[in-house]
Amino acid sequence: MESIKSYVQLHKDRFINELIELLKIPSVSADATYHQDIIKTANTVKESLEKAGCDFVEICDTPGNPIVYGEKTINKNLPTVLVYGHYDVQPADPIELWTSPAFEPVIKKTEIHPEGAIFARGSCDDKGQMYMHVKALEYMIQSNTLPCNVKFMIEGEEEIGSKSLSWFVERNQEKLKCDVILISDTGMISNQQPSITTGLRGLSYVEVEVTGPNRDLHSGLYGGAVANPINVLAKMIASLHDENNRITIPGFYDKVQELSPEERAEMAKAPFILEEYKKALDLNDIYGEKGYATNERNSIRPTLDVNGIWGGYTGEGAKTVIPSKAFAKISMRLVPNQDWEEITELFTNHFISIAPAGVKVKVKPHHGGQGYVTPTDSIGYKAANKAYTETFGVPAIPVRSGGSIPIVALFEKELKSKTILMGFGLDSDAIHSPNEHFGVFNYLKGIETIPLFYKYFVELSK
Ligand code: BES
Ligand code: MN
Ligand code: MN
């Protein structure tokens, strides 16, 4: 049997085509219209695990979207790797900004991906990265090199808060027992410089509603005499940051884990070119909390951001109106030791307390999760680093990411297992944005690197 490198070379067209078929199904979890596509995607993932060689695969029903579970047991005395991924995707909106339709995958060359990248919603987050694991398993089974047991748990609600997965994990601790959890749902620094994600931020997501008068009013007859909920909401939101861009909610920073000067110096070593960062985003300047560098602001520091704001008249032309209501969706990214439920409560109390008497305020919590940090001296981390070093020719750099995969902290709590985040995406892959893509290089490199993780994990576990 050939090496993984030659196996990938031989089968790469099929690997790409299989992923393209998976990407054609619009498994958007946020929108109930796509429910049938969610089911169809779960079935496709199930079939792919069966074909790859799992000896048991099932669709597990939950109160929400189904979870695909699969396993291949070779010897109960050997370690078990649990692979987690998600088959649901973000909505494609705004669709008019896509250069090709979000669910009609095409390969296009880009400056960063001269070998081509697959453009489609979910290509990087997370169908493409999840499917690398299915193909790596195929290789290990075909070549008889699978060195341990493996379990797969692929969910369909990651993009909406993983409610059903929490439900599933709490009820299936024995079934999910493992020695390490392996996830490819993050990124790396560049195609020349791999990195391993050692931290994720937590999240608290809320929606606020500000109500003024009991109906929309003529803005001439009533303007100036009653509170305009949009004006009020804008002012309230603006007050949530001070002149140093620090969050003003009392107690918000109380539990924030501060890094030592040594740890910050270590972080500063990761390659980062400010000019290129600004250029890539077409920004004249960066912005953020005083006293912290860009790569700290987006990883080890908590944030508060409005994700959407609406109210009043936004149609064509002008309509003179004082709206009855204004709304906003607000997310807070949290860092280790901040508890998301506590932060949600601090936000709620503060937000209600700053409202002027002329309006009524409601805060509706959506979902959340805890942050995560993982040490770099674990067997899993070392195995991942050895795997990257072998396929990229340079060791991986540990990086704390700003993104969130709330279920990771829950895995540690419920399953008592550490998670290794072996991501192969790039920040420029536009996940959650129009024109999301995943480099063909990254996809194939992932398939090549994953079997090495298994090999070294088992070797180092002995
Ligand atoms: N895969 C992402 C998270 C991610 C991406 C982490 C890149 C690190 C680097 C995941 O699908 C995601 O989008 N998570 C959401 C949170 C979820 C609760 C909606 C996020 O971070 O906004
Ligand atoms: Mn993801
Ligand atoms: Mn995502």
Side-chain angles (χ1 to χ4, degrees):
M1 186 74 186
E2 61 272 62
S3 68
I4 176 67
K5 235 188 159 84
S6 37
Y7 190 82
V8 169
Q9 278 314 308
L10 202 61
H11 296 277
K12 64 179 183 201
D13 291 342
R14 175 172 59 85
F15 289 175
I16 292 167
N17 289 330
E18 286 176 15
L19 174 57
I20 284 178
E21 288 310 308
L22 191 62
L23 291 169
K24 283 182 186 169
I25 322 171
S27 49
V28 178
S29 51
D31 184 344
T33 341
Y34 296 98
H35 187 69
Q36 279 318 312
D37 296 300
I38 285 276
I39 304 298
K40 194 171 157 192
T41 310
N43 284 316
T44 308
V45 172
K46 174 175 181 264
E47 282 159 27
S48 74
L49 284 170
E50 284 162 349
K51 276 198 200 134
C54 279
D55 39 37
F56 173 72
V57 191
E58 62 177 338
I59 300 253
C60 303
D61 288 322
T62 72
N65 295 340
I67 291 164
V68 186
Y69 176 81
E71 60 185 36
K72 172 84 190 167
T73 307
I74 59 167
N75 178 342
K76 288 242 158 23
N77 298 319
L78 286 168
T80 299
V81 175
L82 172 65
V83 176
Y84 162 83
H86 62 95
Y87 66 78
D88 66 318
V89 301
Q90 285 276 327
D93 313 48
I95 54 169
E96 65 280 9
L97 295 182
W98 284 76
T99 54
S100 54
F103 298 106
E104 292 171 27
V106 281
I107 298 180
K108 288 185 268 196
K109 290 189 166 69
T110 73
E111 209 177 300
I112 291 177
H113 296 292
E115 294 169 48
I118 306 168
F119 280 73
R121 174 56 87 227
S123 55
C124 178
D125 184 13
D126 179 42
K127 284 174 173 166
Q129 296 214 70
M130 175 272 290
Y131 206 68
M132 299 181 313
H133 289 267
V134 181
K135 295 298 101 180
L137 176 71
E138 174 192 310
Y139 166 74
M140 290 186 284
I141 288 179
Q142 289 299 317
S143 61
N144 225 335
T145 55
L146 180 67
C148 60
N149 309 310
V150 54
K151 295 175 177 173
F152 275 77
M153 177 170 63
I154 313 298
E155 70 150 319
E157 286 177 25
E158 197 279 339
E159 300 292 6
I160 51 168
S162 301
K163 256 214 179 84
S164 299
L165 188 71
S166 312
W167 178 93
F168 183 75
V169 170
E170 280 158 23
R171 280 163 185 74
N172 290 283
Q173 288 170 345
E174 198 49 40
K175 183 187 184 119
L176 301 172
K177 235 177 118 181
C178 61
D179 297 277
V180 70
I181 297 162
L182 184 61
I183 305 181
S184 296
D185 192 22
T186 52
M188 56 177 188
I189 294 174
S190 73
N191 285 355
Q192 293 72 44
Q193 179 55 68
S195 52
I196 299 171
T197 303
T198 52
L200 293 163
R201 285 196 284 195
L203 181 70
S204 163
Y205 201 107
V206 299
E207 189 170 319
V208 299
E209 179 189 306
V210 176
T211 307
N214 60 1
R215 57 184 168 90
D216 287 6
L217 301 174
H218 188 287
S219 66
L221 295 182
Y222 290 92
V226 298
N228 177 326
I230 300 183
N231 294 12
V232 169
L233 177 60
K235 203 166 163 181
M236 288 169 73
I237 287 171
S239 79
L240 296 175
H241 288 91
D242 69 13
E243 65 283 7
N244 295 323
N245 287 318
R246 277 176 70 87
I247 295 152
T248 55
I249 301 169
F252 186 84
Y253 291 97
D254 283 3
K255 294 195 175 161
V256 168
Q257 190 184 78
E258 300 287 341
L259 267 66
S260 67
E262 293 74 35
E263 286 171 305
R264 291 181 69 185
E266 197 54 43
M267 270 189 82
K269 286 187 194 157
F272 177 76
I273 303 164
L274 185 59
E275 283 315 308
E276 282 180 13
Y277 186 84
K278 289 197 287 193
K279 198 173 145 219
L281 301 176
D282 196 14
L283 293 171
N284 294 328
D285 206 354
I286 44 160
Y287 187 90
E289 186 185 358
K290 197 176 166 187
Y292 292 91
T294 297
N295 72 331
E296 295 178 322
R297 288 170 174 169
N298 70 11
S299 66
I300 60 164
R301 300 299 297 166
T303 61
L304 184 152
D305 278 296
V306 178
N307 295 248
I309 184 163
W310 69 101
Y313 183 72
T314 57
E316 207 181 306
K319 181 186 181 201
T320 48
V321 63
I322 292 178
S324 169
K325 285 179 188 293
F327 304 84
K329 288 183 195 281
I330 298 175
S331 68
M332 288 161 278
R333 295 282 169 172
L334 310 175
V335 298
N337 295 349
Q338 280 183 301
D339 177 75
W340 77 272
E341 283 172 316
E342 205 175 302
I343 292 290
T344 305
E345 201 181 316
L346 288 179
F347 174 89
T348 306
N349 293 340
H350 178 68
F351 204 70
I352 291 171
S353 79
I354 61 174
V359 298
K360 296 185 194 77
V361 172
K362 272 192 204 152
V363 179
K364 185 173 114 193
H366 266 275
H367 56 74
Q370 314 294 34
Y372 186 70
V373 265
T374 190
T376 55
D377 58 3
S378 68
I379 292 174
Y381 187 91
K382 286 180 191 157
N385 194 18
K386 277 182 88 132
Y388 278 109
T389 309
E390 196 163 318
T391 51
F392 285 82
V394 285
I397 294 178
V399 171
R400 279 179 60 170
S401 171
S404 308
I405 311 177
I407 206 72
V408 171
L410 191 94
F411 288 155
E412 182 150 325
K413 186 167 156 248
E414 299 281 342
L415 305 175
K416 314 271 179 291
S417 288
K418 288 253 169 286
T419 291
I420 299 301
L421 297 158
M422 284 181 83
F424 292 89
L426 300 180
D427 283 355
S428 55
D429 287 345
I431 64 171
H432 294 206
S433 302
N435 305 310
E436 173 178 352
H437 53 280
F438 189 36
V440 169
F441 168 89
N442 304 65
Y443 178 52
L444 301 177
K445 209 64 166 175
I447 300 170
E448 195 186 316
T449 309
I450 290 163
L452 294 168
F453 170 83
Y454 283 72
K455 177 179 164 211
Y456 293 125
F457 184 75
V458 174
E459 270 181 31
L460 295 169
S461 297
K462 276 183 190 146

